Amino acid sequence: MIPLSVAWDAIGGLVDAHERFLAGARVDSDVRDSVLDSWKRCRYAGVEPDRLLIPYAPDLALDHRFLHAAEPVLERLTASLAELNTTVALCDAQARMVERYGGDRTLRDRLDGVNFAPGFDASERAAGTNGVGTALAGRSPVYVAGREHFADCLQPFACAGAPIRNPLSGRIEAVLDLTCLHDDGDPAMMRLVREAARDIETRLLEQATERERALLTAYRRADHGTHGSGWPAEPRHPSQAEPRSPHMAPNHGAAPDGDVLGPIDLAVLREKAEALIAAPHRTLDEVLLSGGRTATLLRRQVEGAAGETGVVVEARVLGGPRLRHTPAVDAPPVPQQPARKPPVVLRAVPEAPPAPEPTDTDAWLLLVGEPGVGRLAVLARRRLELLHDAGVRIGTTLDVTRTAEELTQVAVPRFADFAAVDLPDSVLRGEEPGHLGADTPLRRVALGAVHDESWLYGVGDEVRYIASTPQARALESRKPVLEPALTVDGGWIAQDPVRGERVLRAGIHSLITVPLRARGTTLGSVGFYRSERPEPFENDDLSLAQELAGRAAICVDNARRYTRERNTALALQRSLLPRGRSQQNAVEVAYRYLPAQAGVGGDWFDVIPLSGARVALVVGDVVGHGLHAAATMGRLRTAVHNFCALDLAPDELLTHLDDLVGRLDRGEGWAVENTHQDSGIIGATCLYAVYDPVSRRCTLTRAGHPVPAVVGPDGTVDFVDLPPGPPLGLGGMPFETVELELAEGSQLVLYTDGLIEDRLRDIDVGLDRLRTVLACAGRAPEDTCEAVLDALLPARPSDDVALLVARTHALGPDQVAQWPVPRDPAFVSHARAAVIEQLTAWGLDELAFTTELVASELITNALRHATGPVQLRLLRDRALICEVSDGSSTSPRLRRARTEDEGGRGLFLVAQLTERWGTRYTADGKIIWTEQPLP
């Protein structure tokens, strides 16, 4: 190793970073992440850097098999470091030092002075940041030098540590550490200790395969003590040995021309054998095979010549072909990858003729290994199944809360006994979550539990994790945190000491918390707890938890983004739909709009007051969902308003709307800033109706829309026989109208297809249900809306629904006055007198002068410029309406008269004296109308 030319702790201002950290300052830019995480853990654990209380335990030892694998590696490593004044320390899985090798006397004395010696505890909770404790806490190799040590007494040293795992179980069995004086330190020490740890793990794997070969040899040579059938008389329970990788016994020979068990039967036998060898207290199992056959499996203990102990599983098949096994001469090969299992090779053969009376009780060696072998194999398969189920079951909807619930349902009870998902409220609203860390308010949105007595935070509770908790550390570091023993985690209990003690009493003992991260953003956290199963979480569980959380985080983020888009579209649509009630007396209206479960669509409705006290009722539907459908709906609604201002007939209005949609579909419109051509309108339908309260007549037309329903005052229901017309945008076909006379108090029901039709219900069934629920006399429009939705809609409809119910009113004779006007200018004075008399009868004397002047001017113009019969009509509604009709289709035009002009000022005067005026065309001519507000 090459000594450092620059002190490690001088890099990046580390000289005073330790003091600033203890003072509460942020030192993220000055300290490596692994060291800073360790400092935080030390602070949470209450370690005092100037005073350590290090426990001592005499007579520490490691398993002799582990030492047998480690000693040659440690000897080589110590010899290679002989001239570098570096010690090699071997510690157990609790960070307690078992052996120390190498180093000169001075270095050993200094290490003894700080209790870095055999028997003493080097864990972070006892000694602070160091090579042994930090490597164990972080479960990965680490290098610590000088001021990076949390304890003052360790700062003169540099050390590198690495955990040593059993390659079959994944458990940490020991920690290897290299320590020297700070000035002799080099980060390359971490490479050396990592390579040494890997060498030990390789020897452990080789040792495991040697044991299995020895067990197989012992089985072949053993006197089975059978009773003629190959089965032992008194099978013994297997010993509880450490996990090893199983070997499937090979079948090198079988009787010729025999039947072969099918692949399904072979797979079933293999799985049941692994489960049997994993079971601690079971020796027999029965397996149902195809063809009505039954296989019986037996597990029993064997012991090799060198004292190796293990178990074997034998099989026999009843009620079918016999299983034969011809012992192999050679030992089975050493597996290249411990996680991969050699295939089971079984042949089922009938007794070859002319053998007399074959029996079907021959035993066949199926599996050899140790109890932990099958546990690992079954565990690996279950994890694969769990990840498969997670991919299928998580994210079935685009709902954030439902996605979180699906994560807990997948995890409990197959992976954890409790699973909790915490998200900020901003994610639930579809917004960006921002920075999440300690004290960030989170919401418990899902909790999966094997029972209700956990004392964990419940669904809906607000949670603020303090900095010492694993959840806060995971959010801050954006990395998962494993706490195998919550009973010793004071930082977790400090969140809520009373609740924490109750949680521990409920049996919860182990925790993995993982931040939910997707696309570089932390969305929340998920915590997995164990209580029912005694084994704590391990590193293999940590990787599985990360995989589960990673898949769920993508689904949560997709749901969040969808929620944002849906809220945006819903806000746009609500801004485009009618606000409040329109100012008119012709009908009493009630309406409902329900967005679809899949997203906001383009359904819309409108109630538009027209001239002459009439009202237009409109319902439309734009195909599709999302922002484009909502924006398209807004464009069509605006167009209908503009066309209504022209007082067009219903069929003419739909013709103009159809032409507009056709031009948009052909791309004749352009998007904002002209950067992209308009995407057009995929499809739209519309129903347009105009009701006149004077004549009680209603004119309707539709473009591909469902027919409206008319409910009479007596409760009878009729669907209007209205020609359908093509949907908007197709063009070429005229729209037909139907005119009805409605009794006062009738209800006109307009709706979109989402009300009566869905994927599970035909439109005819929906119409029948609608007819049934509408058949009620004297019901208010609001009550009609509620009854219809309750009867026809599920809780979350698959399509948008717009419903408009209008109960008709009529203007009685006391509100209408009309006079025919002969084509004689002398009659103008008589008309003025009739207007004054009528207004006096209505109590509107204040409007008499103005109305007299307006009527006089309009009648004079009609007599002078128009043809056909002329009629004057006054209506007293929300405003005073004055109408003059004639048989001409020529409309007067408002203009400003010049000084020398003798005429042209009458219409200008009318416009100044009234609030509104206009022209509407009829089949017989036109009507000039004015409105004045009532006093």
Side-chain angles (χ1 to χ4, degrees), residues 511-567:
L511 163 68
I512 291 179
T513 179
V514 187
L516 293 171
R517 288 184 54 79
R519 301 180 180 92
T521 301
T522 302
L523 303 171
S525 71
V526 55
F528 302 102
Y529 301 84
R530 278 188 177 171
S531 65
E532 299 299 313
R533 60 195 82 189
E535 67 273 12
F537 285 116
E538 282 291 338
N539 277 72
D540 288 348
D541 299 313
L542 187 64
S543 61
L544 179 58
Q546 286 183 270
E547 184 71 20
L548 286 175
R551 298 188 181 195
I554 294 295
C555 297
V556 169
D557 191 54
N558 290 340
R560 179 191 66 83
R561 289 167 174 255
Y562 169 77
T563 301
R564 180 184 61 188
E565 292 291 331
R566 185 175 186 275
N567 289 342

Side-chain angles (χ1 to χ4, degrees), residues 14 37 102 132 146 173 181 234 296 301 359 364 373 390 419 438 447 495 501 556 562 581 617 656 686 730 752 761 846:
L14 191 60
D37 290 342
V132 176
E173 295 203 0
L181 292 176
E234 293 181 348
T296 303
Q301 183 175 339
T359 63
W364 184 83
V373 173
L447 177 63
Q495 167 75 21
E501 291 296 334
V556 169
Y562 169 77
R581 310 281 180 169
L617 306 173
H656 284 282
C686 184
L730 297 183
T752 55
R761 181 177 61 194
E846 296 181 20

Side-chain angles (χ1 to χ4, degrees), residues 263-506:
I264 297 179
D265 288 339
L266 297 180
V268 170
L269 282 176
R270 179 175 59 187
E271 181 176 358
K272 294 298 183 180
E274 290 174 352
L276 184 60
I277 206 172
H281 303 298
R282 291 174 57 200
T283 57
L284 286 170
D285 196 5
E286 281 193 348
V287 184
L288 294 178
L289 303 177
S290 61
R293 297 170 295 180
T294 302
T296 303
L297 304 181
L298 170 69
R299 184 186 74 165
R300 59 193 184 87
Q301 183 175 339
V302 293
E303 183 174 349
E308 303 89 352
T309 59
V311 292
V312 296
V313 176
E314 296 176 328
R316 67 175 178 178
V317 175
L318 305 176
R322 299 168 58 189
L323 285 173
R324 284 254 181 127
H325 171 252
T326 301
V329 177
D330 300 325
V334 177
Q336 298 299 317
Q337 296 293 336
R340 292 179 60 87
K341 301 180 291 296
V344 181
V345 183
L346 299 177
R347 285 180 60 83
V349 298
E351 193 68 36
E357 296 298 322
T359 63
D360 52 4
T361 57
D362 286 350
W364 184 83
L365 176 61
L366 183 61
L367 186 69
V368 61
E370 295 188 42
V373 173
R375 183 186 68 83
L376 293 176
V378 173
L379 181 60
R381 182 179 298 109
R382 288 175 179 173
R383 288 183 173 181
L384 289 176
E385 293 173 352
L386 181 61
L387 291 177
H388 174 267
D389 288 350
V392 173
R393 295 173 55 188
I394 299 177
T396 59
T397 68
L398 287 172
D399 181 85
V400 174
T401 300
R402 180 57 189 157
T403 302
E405 293 172 349
E406 290 169 345
L407 171 59
T408 62
Q409 292 169 0
V410 168
V412 177
R414 298 165 63 182
F415 175 64
D417 299 312
F418 301 92
V421 179
D422 302 321
L423 302 174
D425 289 338
S426 56
V427 171
L428 298 176
R429 295 191 298 267
E431 304 168 1
E432 293 290 340
H435 174 73
L436 301 184
D439 291 331
T440 300
L442 301 176
R443 184 77 56 189
R444 177 66 50 88
V445 297
L447 177 63
V450 293
H451 59 75
D452 297 333
E453 301 299 327
S454 66
W455 292 102
L456 296 171
Y457 291 103
V459 174
D461 291 349
E462 183 180 273
V463 186
R464 292 176 180 263
Y465 291 110
I466 62 176
S468 63
T469 58
Q471 290 88 346
R473 284 148 47 197
L475 291 174
E476 287 285 356
S477 64
R478 302 178 182 178
K479 299 176 182 177
V481 173
L482 167 62
E483 288 294 344
L486 289 176
T487 55
V488 297
D489 184 12
W492 174 77
I493 297 178
Q495 167 75 21
D496 188 339
V498 175
R499 183 187 295 271
E501 291 296 334
R502 290 175 175 174
V503 169
L504 294 178
R505 285 199 299 269

Side-chain angles (χ1 to χ4, degrees), residues 650-884:
D651 56 337
E652 293 182 20
L653 185 143
L654 283 192
T655 299
H656 284 282
L657 196 61
D658 175 70
D659 180 64
L660 172 64
V661 173
R663 287 189 285 113
L664 292 176
D665 281 339
R666 291 191 298 270
E668 298 180 15
W670 292 83
V672 179
E673 299 181 1
N674 292 337
T675 55
H676 299 285
Q677 193 168 3
D678 197 329
S679 57
I681 300 174
I682 300 175
T685 65
C686 184
L687 172 63
Y688 184 80
V690 175
Y691 174 69
D692 186 346
V694 177
S695 63
R696 293 186 289 104
R697 301 195 69 82
C698 182
T699 306
L700 306 97
T701 186
R702 62 174 177 144
H705 203 82
V707 295
V710 175
V711 183
D714 58 353
T716 58
V717 180
D718 293 307
F719 289 102
V720 181
D721 186 12
L722 182 61
L728 298 174
L730 297 183
M733 295 291 292
F735 295 97
E736 300 183 47
T737 61
V738 169
E739 191 172 44
L740 306 174
E741 183 173 340
L742 302 178
E744 185 174 7
S746 299
Q747 291 190 5
L748 192 61
V749 181
L750 288 69
Y751 50 88
T752 55
D753 59 356
L755 179 70
I756 58 173
E757 184 181 19
D758 58 31
R759 290 171 294 184
L760 303 177
R761 181 177 61 194
D762 186 72
I763 188 172
D764 292 334
V765 176
L767 289 174
D768 289 340
R769 290 187 182 180
L770 181 60
R771 179 190 297 273
T772 300
V773 72
L774 290 178
C776 180
R779 188 161 52 189
E782 286 287 344
D783 297 336
T784 300
C785 286
E786 291 296 329
V788 169
L789 296 185
D790 291 343
L792 274 77
L793 283 190
R796 307 183 73 179
S798 59
D799 193 10
D800 283 26
V801 173
L803 173 65
L804 178 63
V805 178
R807 182 162 61 184
T808 61
H809 297 299
L811 290 182
D814 58 332
Q815 294 177 278
V816 180
Q818 57 185 7
W819 304 271
V821 179
R823 302 197 62 82
D824 181 1
F827 188 80
V828 174
S829 60
H830 297 286
R832 290 161 62 180
V835 167
I836 293 174
E837 181 180 356
Q838 184 62 55
L839 293 181
T840 300
W842 284 345
L844 299 177
D845 296 302
E846 296 181 20
L847 301 179
F849 175 75
T850 303
T851 307
E852 174 192 6
L853 183 59
V854 168
S856 175
E857 187 63 37
L858 294 180
I859 293 174
T860 301
N861 284 343
L863 294 177
R864 179 179 300 176
H865 303 290
T867 60
V870 178
Q871 181 174 279
L872 171 65
R873 186 171 73 165
L874 294 180
L875 304 176
R876 181 170 61 85
D877 190 39
R878 300 183 66 89
L880 178 62
I881 301 171
C882 178
E883 296 179 344
V884 174

